[in-house]
Amino acid sequence: MAFLQQLIDDVVVNSIELTSGELTIGRHPDNGLQIEDGSVSGRHAQISINANPDFPEFSEASIEDLGSTNGTYVNDQPVNGKMPLKHGDSIRVAYNQFRFEQDEDTPLAKTMHILKT
């Protein structure tokens, strides 16, 4: 299970459970997560949670900037295209701070698998 935690002064003020599929983030009310802040674009970013194609028991998360004016950042790096997310990543949507939390017993990123070709 994955969560997007909204932070204000490093204190969690809101926690959003992320389920399979896409969550759009932006100022417009039709987004899954609406942020009423003038620095946030109407459709700012999108988080995707999908099953890993090789190991469907594991989910993978990624974030994509949707052409926003003030940018989307992961760990202070600008998001260009789809960027994978991992447990503990810091996400900034314009000037709004979030943390990605993934609550899985064995995250795929920490597991080595050898695929036969």
Side-chain angles (χ1 to χ4, degrees):
M1 190 168 298
F3 294 91
L4 186 63
Q5 297 178 328
Q6 185 178 10
L7 306 171
I8 296 178
D9 295 329
D10 290 328
V11 175
V12 176
V13 296
N14 194 10
S15 186
I16 300 108
E17 183 178 349
L18 301 172
T19 57
S20 292
E22 286 79 30
L23 171 75
T24 56
I25 302 169
R27 194 175 64 245
H28 196 274
D30 71 350
N31 288 289
L33 174 58
Q34 181 185 10
I35 302 174
E36 295 183 27
D37 177 347
S39 67
V40 175
S41 294
R43 285 185 41 87
H44 196 104
Q46 178 173 286
I47 294 178
S48 300
I49 307 285
N50 297 304
N52 178 283
D54 297 314
F55 304 98
E57 66 272 20
F58 295 103
S59 61
E60 296 179 329
S62 62
I63 190 166
E64 180 178 13
D65 185 84
L66 299 176
S68 69
T69 302
N70 290 313
T72 304
Y73 299 83
V74 174
N75 301 323
D76 293 323
Q77 299 300 312
V79 173
N80 297 310
K82 278 194 172 187
M83 179 180 279
L85 292 171
K86 63 184 183 316
H87 177 75
D89 276 347
S90 172
I91 299 170
R92 185 163 47 88
V93 176
Y95 303 107
N96 299 272
Q97 194 69 39
F98 297 88
R99 181 173 52 227
F100 177 74
E101 297 285 333
Q102 193 165 26
D103 184 30
E104 290 184 336
D105 292 338
T106 311
L108 186 59
K110 294 182 179 180
T111 305
M112 180 187 292
H113 297 276
I114 299 173
L115 299 175
K116 293 183 179 183
T117 57

